[in-house]
Structure formats: C-alpha cells, structure tokens
Amino acid sequence: MSQLQPIKGTHDLMFEDVRRHRYVEETAFEIARRYGYGEIATPVFEFTDVFKRTLGDTSDIVTKEMFTFETKGGDNITLRPEGTAGVARAFISEGLAQQTPLKFFYRGPMFRYERPQKGRQRQFHQFGAELLGVASPQADVEVIALADHILKTLNLTGTTTLELNSLGDVESRLAYRDVLVSYLKGHEDKLSPDSRERLIRNPLRILDSKDPGDKAIAANAPQFTAHLNTASQDFFKAVQDGLSALGIGFKVVPALVRGLDYYGHTAFEFTTEALGAQGTVLAGGRYDGLIKQMGGPQTPGIGFAAGIERLAMLLPEIAAEKRPIAVIPIGDEESKVAQEITAKLRHEGFTVDMGYGGNMGKRMTRANKIKAVAAVILGSDEVREGVATVRNLDSGEQVKVAQADLARHLAGHK
RNA sequence: GCGGGUGUAGCUCAGUUGGUUAGAGCAUCUGGUUGUGGUCCAGAGGGUCGCGGGUUCGAGUCCCGUCACUCGCCCCA
C-alpha cells in the first residue's frame, strides 16, 4: 500500500468512473439546453462572505463544513460548498437584473469538510439549474419538469421518487414556525439532544429527524400545509396542478424542509432507497429572497442541484466505449507508412490506436487488451504491394485491402 | 465532532485454538523458435501481514495506541 494517498474525501476518477460521471453531466446539460438553459461557469472559490450571507450564519454548512482560508493578500475565501450562491453573486456582479428571465445551468466540483461516507465526499460534483426572475408557479413546474426529464433520460425514474412540499411565503413561514416551536416546547423533554439544539437553530429540521422518539413527536405536530396563507396555498396548488398536467408523479411530504435559509414556497427532492443514508439525489426549491439578501435587486428565483456521484452510482449501465482500430506495423520502414495511414484514418473519423513498440505478438496483445475491432497489419509485403492486411479481431478473418480503400473497407467500424 | 466495522501481493481475498521458509485466484512477465491477439500448457517475479508499542520461548493471529479506509449519526446533493 502506497504512502501517497489522496486527501481524505477525494478520489481519483478514471476509466469507467469518469465515463459514468461525464455521461450524467452531458445528459443533464443536453436536456437543459432544450429547456433554454445556458451554461454558466463561476469560480470554484468566492469571498467567504458570499456563502455566509446566502446560506445563513447558523447553517451547518457555514458553521462547520466550509473549506475556508486566507490568501497571501489577506482575503478570506472559501471553496464553494454549493453552486447557487456563486450564480447569485454573478447575477449581481454582472448586472444581469435587466435581462431576466435568465436560465443558467452549471456543473463542477463542490467542497464540504464533512466526514466521508457512502455517497458523500469532501470534493464532490454537482450539476444544477437556476431560473432567475420568474415569480410565477409556472417556473417551478418547468424547473421540476426539467429535473424529472433529466432523471428520466438517465433511466432513473424507477429508482427515484419526487417529494414535494411548500415552505410558504415569509409570512406563512414565520407564523408556522411559532406554532411549531410552541408545540415542540411542550415535548422538549422527550426530544433527542440533537433536536433540542435544533429547536433554537432550525426547528423545521426536527420534522425530518431520524430519531424514533422525534419522529413520534413530529408525526403529531401541526402541519405546515394547514398553516399556509391563501396566497401560499394557491401557489402550491398551481405547482401541483401544473405537474399533474404534465404527468409528473409526486408525493407531498409535509416533513420535507430545507437546511438553507433562502428557500421559500416550493421545495422538492428526488430521493432513492438504493444509496443507504444519502438518499437525496437531486434537490431544489424556490429562493425569492436570495438575490435581495445578497444586496441585489429583488429577484425571484428557483433552481436545483444534483449530486453527480450519487446519480452515477445509480446509473444502470451506459453504452460501451467505441472500439478502436489497431494499426500494427512490422519494422521501421513500415512504421512510417503506418503513421500516415493512422493519421489519415483519424481525420476520416475513425478511432485508431497505434502500438508504440514491441514485436508483432506484443502489439497484437495490446490490440486485444484495448478491445480493438480490427487490426490493420503492415509488413514489408503489404507496403511493397500498397495494401494492408485487415484482421477482424472477433472472427479472426483476414483480408488484404488496398491502402487507398481502407477507409471504405473499415466504414462499419467508425 | 460522535459510534460500529475493516486494514495480508497491483486487485479480490484465504490464513484453522499464537508455532518453522505467509497462500490462492485474477493481473504482470518469460517460454511453448520465424509476421498474428483473445483460449490452453509450463514457469517466474512480486508482501518490512497499515504503522508504533506491549504480552510471549515464539505474533499476520492476543492487548493498547495511532493512521487510513468504510458504514452509520449529524448535515446534505
């Protein structure tokens, strides 16, 4: 076992892992484009303040999970723990308020200083979408439809469930919070220590506690949906009706809440049973207060983020990589011809690998290892005659083909 | 930050109640003569048993510590 190890919670991705990773990203981006989303790539680090202001001083992410450090110039910066804050900051920095509605798609690494476990790394990857400047519930429906569409395309709708809830507008949320806290205070002695702490910092979180005792108390708690004001109720209903009209199935889960402070109204999550404790695969919601809270003009927004590693783990199977053609020269003089032929075939669109040395047996072994469909063999005889021996590596059949006809002959393997 | 599990060859693992030179499969390399792989056969290389200490005549095996990985709690995607 080597002494050199990657930093805790980080991984070297290669071969199949990277392919699955990319497949998730590309698929998501491809669908997002159809919905009119354009990619935005914000920096992986920001001033620490950007996250503190958006995520709230009391959230766990800010209080204990950020990679924060000081630069040589004395700036306090943080590796982004999530993507929305950066997009919101860019929206303000670039003065984009005049151009709404705006649809952004992003992808890339995120960093959280947590204890790693299944489906949870310190450097992980997300893709996400943000729709800025639309207050109507139509936006919520479209964003959820996009998420659903992506998961459908990834063939994951069978393994995931859409959970939906409304956190209401600010008025409803504050009112409900009071009702909930006074109910929970009545049971404070029976709450878990964690939840007693949450009672002060984030009482809504107690609703989705995993502690059995908490669950029993939460089950009888006053329901959020019953405390929404009329406007919030109408909004929630419009979202539900819109989803139903599109044939998107969902489950209303009153206990579904958010850890981040800027969410209101619609909250949604696609969850799975297949990943152990880290069941959330894609989550999002509406954040109408965020831009203003950061110092920009009042701008409604809604978006989601998805964990690429988690999705990649769920992925059933992806199409095999394209099989290359192996060009195998025998001898120095032949190598020159082989190099030309290789270059030509590549420019014609073929995937071609040429051995780097060794005798013919070695090169054949390599051709086999890289799963080549065919070997193009160039010995002295072939070069003299201006032909190549093409061996089908599955059947073992060999034919001589004029070098000028190679592209046509191999066309099926493009 | 808290709890459980696991660390033996490049990979996946075996290693009996502590007992000589620590094993297997896969992978790698060589050979089975010339310009033919994948199959088959023969052989080879590769391990300070995570690290440090302790118990013992003797430790991969028992004890303590430490580090790493892993699963769960917390939190989240």
Side-chain angles (χ1 to χ4, degrees), chain A residues 292-315:
Chain A
K292 187 162 190 193
Q293 190 181 317
M294 289 187 75
Q298 167 58 37
T299 308
I302 176 161
F304 66 78
I308 294 175
E309 282 83 356
R310 291 184 185 178
L311 289 171
M313 280 192 276
L314 289 180
L315 226 52

Side-chain angles (χ1 to χ4, degrees), chain A residues 225-244:
Chain A
T225 40
H227 287 76
L228 295 176
N229 60 22
T230 318
S232 297
Q233 278 178 31
D234 290 349
F235 194 98
F236 193 28
K237 181 163 188 307
V239 174
Q240 295 184 55
D241 289 349
L243 291 174
S244 298

Side-chain angles (χ1 to χ4, degrees), chain A residues 204-218:
Chain A
L204 296 192
R205 273 272 150 202
I206 298 174
L207 294 175
D208 67 351
S209 170
K210 283 176 192 165
D211 181 89
D214 291 352
K215 275 187 176 169
I217 295 169

Side-chain angles (χ1 to χ4, degrees), chain A residues 213-392:
Chain A
D214 291 352
K215 275 187 176 169
I217 295 169
N220 294 315
Q223 300 258 306
F224 204 152
T225 40
H227 287 76
L228 295 176
N229 60 22
T230 318
S232 297
Q233 278 178 31
D234 290 349
F235 194 98
F236 193 28
K237 181 163 188 307
V239 174
Q240 295 184 55
D241 289 349
L243 291 174
S244 298
L246 294 179
I248 296 171
F250 60 88
K251 205 172 82 190
V252 174
V253 178
L256 175 61
V257 293
R258 283 279 91 105
L260 310 183
D261 285 356
Y262 52 67
Y263 286 106
H265 282 299
T266 311
F268 64 97
E269 245 173 62
F270 285 83
T271 59
T272 178
E273 308 271 276
L275 247 40
Q278 315 304 320
T280 301
V281 120
L282 183 154
R286 182 164 274 281
Y287 48 83
D288 290 348
L290 174 65
I291 303 285
K292 187 162 190 193
Q293 190 181 317
M294 289 187 75
Q298 167 58 37
T299 308
I302 176 161
F304 66 78
I308 294 175
E309 282 83 356
R310 291 184 185 178
L311 289 171
M313 280 192 276
L314 289 180
L315 226 52
E317 67 192 65
I318 60 178
E321 199 148 26
K322 203 195 297 175
R323 295 173 65 188
I325 290 159
V327 174
I328 299 179
I330 307 157
D332 290 343
E333 199 52 41
E334 291 76 11
S335 286
K336 287 181 201 156
V337 180
Q339 201 128 48
E340 284 162 31
I341 288 175
T342 299
K344 208 172 151 211
L345 287 174
R346 285 174 178 157
H347 283 286
E348 303 246 12
F350 292 95
T351 303
V352 187
D353 182 277
M354 187 165 86
Y356 304 104
N359 59 28
M360 190 179 182
K362 269 202 164 68
R363 289 168 185 258
M364 286 298 283
T365 303
R366 176 172 166 83
N368 198 60
K369 199 159 24 186
I370 62 176
K371 298 192 174 72
V373 260
V376 173
I377 299 163
L378 290 158
S380 48
D381 295 350
E382 283 89 347
V383 169
R384 198 181 323 115
E385 297 165 30
V387 300
T389 296
V390 176
R391 182 181 176 88
N392 179 315

